[in-house]
Structures are given as structure tokens and as C-alpha cells.
Amino acid sequence: MAAEIVNPRSETDTAESAPDEPFDPAFALHRGGKMAITATVPVRDKDDLSLAYTPGVAKVCTAIAENPELVHDYTWKSQVVAVVTDGTAVLGLGDIGPEASLPVMEGKAILFKQFGGVDAVPIALATTDTDEIIETVVRLAPSFGGVNLEDISAPRCFEIERRLQDRLDIPVFHDDQHGTAVVTLAALRNAAKLTGRGIGELRAVISGAGAAGVAIAKFLLAAGIGDVAVADRKGVVSTDRDDLTDVKHEIAALTNKARLSGPLEAALSGADVFIGVSGGTVPEPAVASMAPGAFVFAMANPNPEVHPDVAHRYAAVVATGRSDYPNQINNVLAFPGIFAGALQVRASRITEGMKIAAAEALADVVGDELAADYVIPSPFDERVAPAVTAAVAAAARAEGVARR
């Protein structure tokens, strides 16, 4: 299977819209979908057919039945990822359903191929029930070398990922959580390096207690950040609140050593880092109250929580989720290489150590070019995927989850 961009349209397709409707390149590109299945072997004559299908295929099937591990050598299993969604948290569109999510899932699949050389299959499920999603993916798993969970709303996404990884011996990775966290840590490491600090000296405030916010907080703690507090719509997630979900109770117990409470704006006073994964707008006086040399990573898209023009008045380093500003925090910097590395060594899971290795490798790509407007490389930097792939594969071997 190759996730290649094809053009199945006829020459007359562009004229199918009503004459008074303007040409829209997004619809033109998506007509017929963005992917195709292509063969990796020829079927030119009866000899080819007899090898690719019956009777030759029977020999391979029998060998795999006798030694199931051979499936990795004689099928696509170890080279392909399932991109699974229920369509409940699609980009900035929210709960739009499985059919409407497919253009995004196709896009994710071609990014896997383009940036990591990994084949991926979009799978949009017509259920939002946690147990049904888990059971469906478990039954599909024999066909795949890994599972990328995508655009599944919190808090269900946490349980779905955890339970799937407990039941499967292939990597299960919720990119909205961990891909965002990996790229954020890479940018943060370089921002700290640029300003002569270590991340252990930093206090961060995260706006957003959904999938990305919770994952970033946990990941920064694993990487050794000095302190981090998470805020939701009602303010700082702290142990003195009585309105927390189980996930927020857990994050409250792990974070906020400074024992902050109250609104996000109060928590930002004296903070070294702002990380926005929530939308909304942070008032300028709150940004101005941050510590000297602060970092503002306002990643809501298309409207950052802090406009870059405002952030640059007070911050030493500014990052967004947008491609038209420097320092884009883009998941495509992480997930293709992470899966490529995991598949390369047939890892049974993706560990915290593998994710930290990915973040370090990504940060190291910047190298001597490090500057305030360049703390994270471009997704089109051809050094990124090989560096992340190699680091993840090495970490998998070091942590004992590699099987080759």
C-alpha cells in the first residue's frame, strides 16, 4: 500500500461546479480522495499471478500459520499503521462524525508516508462508545504494525489508549497527546538552551486540560521541568477543587508544586513558560506579568491564545501552531519518525524514553543554527525524520521493547 497523492479526476471535473461558483483548490485537490492502494510487485502474466496469489501464496500462509512471527517478514504488517478515529475531536472542528473526519485521516496517512516512509490506513469508526472502539481496534490489530489514535475526544482518549496498549503487543499512540508533547519539549529544550537555562529551572503554565494539555504536563515532568501548572476554563487544576474529573484529579496530584489556585492570569505572574492548547485569548497584562526572558508557545490554530505581535513584546521566544510564523509546533515533526523507529525494531510499545529520545533528536537537528526564531526545525527539513527514527529505534532497544 502506498499513500500517494493521485489525480483520478477527468479533465471535465473542474467544470462540474455551477458557473457562478468560484474555483476552490481545496475541493479540487480532495476530489476522489488523497490516497490510493498500489501494488509493490508486478502481476504481468500467469506466472506472476501464480506467485502473488494462488497457488504460491498458500506456501507463505502455511509458513506463517506454523510460525506467526513470519507475518512481519512476508506481509505488510510491520510497515503499516492504522489511523483510527471516531470523529469526535477533529482539528478545530470538534465532533463532526466519522465520515466528515475522513479527509483529515487521509491527510494524516499521507503525512506518515511523505515524512516517515510509513504506510497508513485511515479507519473512521461509526461508534463513540469506549468499549466498542477498543474491541474493534483489537480485532483489526492483526493487520497492522501500530495504531495511531487520532481526534478522539478527552477524557475517553486516555482510557482508550491505555486499555488498547494493555491488550496489544504493537505500539498504540494517541498523537494529539504525545506528538504535541514531543514537539513542545523539543522547542522548550532549545529555547532554554538559547537563554542559558535548563528546563529544571523553568516554571510553566499550560492553558488547556484536554488531551494535549494533560500529556504535555506529564511529559514535561518526565523530562525534569521545575514546575508546571495546568489550567482549564475554571482556573488552575489544583487539589483544593471539588469539580475535577478523574484525569484532572491525577494531573492535580502530579503538578503545581507552587500550590497555585485561581485563574490562569494569576498563575502566569512570574511564570517562565506559557503553553497554550486551549483556544481563547490571554489578556496582554497577564503576558506582561511573566518573568523576564519568558517563552510563549501559543499553539491554538488558527487563532493563537496570544497573538505573536503581543507575545514578542514580552517574550524571548515565541512559538505557535501556525505555518506562517516562525517556530511552528507541528506534530508532523514527531509522529512519522516515532512510528518509523518503532516499526523498524518491531517495538511492542512506545515508551516515555522513546518519546524523550525523539524530542532530544528533534531539538538537536537545529544545532548551531539556534536562534529566537528557530528553536524547532521545519517539517520539510529532510534531517528530521531520519534523526527521530534512529533515536527512537535506539531507545526502544535500550528499554527492552524492541524485538529485532
Side-chain angles (χ1 to χ4, degrees), residues 31 140 142 163 171 175 177 225 267 272 311 314 333 344 353 366 368 375 379 389 391 399:
R31 183 178 293 280
L140 289 170
R163 288 173 58 188
D175 185 50
Q177 294 183 58
I225 197 165
D272 302 292
Y314 310 102
L333 289 162
Q344 185 180 97
V366 171
D368 294 338
V375 297
T389 299
E399 298 209 337

Side-chain angles (χ1 to χ4, degrees), residues 66 104 137 191 221 228 251 254 278 282 305 343 363:
E66 293 173 354
V104 177
V137 174
L221 289 171
V228 58
I251 206 68
L254 294 172
S278 64
V282 178
E305 294 87 350
L343 294 176

Side-chain angles (χ1 to χ4, degrees), residues 189-229:
R189 282 189 178 279
N190 274 343
K193 180 180 179 181
L194 181 69
T195 56
R197 289 175 283 180
I199 66 168
E201 303 172 52
L202 304 176
R203 177 171 74 83
V205 177
I206 299 172
S207 175
V214 169
I216 291 169
K218 289 182 176 180
F219 196 49
L220 293 184
L221 289 171
I225 197 165
D227 194 14
V228 58

Side-chain angles (χ1 to χ4, degrees), residues 138-290:
V138 167
R139 283 159 176 72
L140 289 170
S143 294
F144 299 99
V147 175
N148 183 91
L149 299 173
E150 190 74 21
D151 293 349
I152 298 174
S153 62
R156 295 174 310 120
C157 60
F158 302 110
E159 181 181 357
I160 290 169
E161 182 188 42
R162 175 181 56 78
R163 288 173 58 188
L164 278 174
Q165 189 62 87
D166 285 346
R167 293 183 62 178
L168 299 177
D169 65 347
I170 58 176
V172 179
F173 186 85
H174 185 213
D175 185 50
D176 303 313
Q177 294 183 58
H178 310 300
T180 307
V182 166
V183 183
T184 300
L185 176 60
L188 186 60
R189 282 189 178 279
N190 274 343
K193 180 180 179 181
L194 181 69
T195 56
R197 289 175 283 180
I199 66 168
E201 303 172 52
L202 304 176
R203 177 171 74 83
V205 177
I206 299 172
S207 175
V214 169
I216 291 169
K218 289 182 176 180
F219 196 49
L220 293 184
L221 289 171
I225 197 165
D227 194 14
V228 58
V230 180
D232 61 12
R233 292 182 180 88
K234 296 182 180 180
V236 175
V237 176
S238 58
T239 53
D240 60 358
R241 282 177 49 180
D242 59 5
D243 60 345
L244 301 180
T245 63
D246 290 344
V247 170
K248 291 180 182 179
H249 267 299
E250 179 190 8
I251 206 68
L254 294 172
T255 61
N256 195 18
K257 290 190 295 188
R259 302 184 67 82
L260 302 171
S261 60
L264 167 73
E265 291 83 357
L268 279 176
S269 179
D272 302 292
V273 186
F274 168 76
I275 297 171
V277 283
S278 64
T281 301
V282 178
E284 184 170 346
V287 182
S289 74
M290 295 178 69

Side-chain angles (χ1 to χ4, degrees), residues 353-377:
M354 291 161 72
K355 290 183 287 184
I356 288 175
E360 291 174 345
L362 183 55
D364 288 346
V365 169
V366 171
D368 294 338
E369 301 170 75
L370 181 62
D373 62 354
Y374 186 53
V375 297
I376 199 76

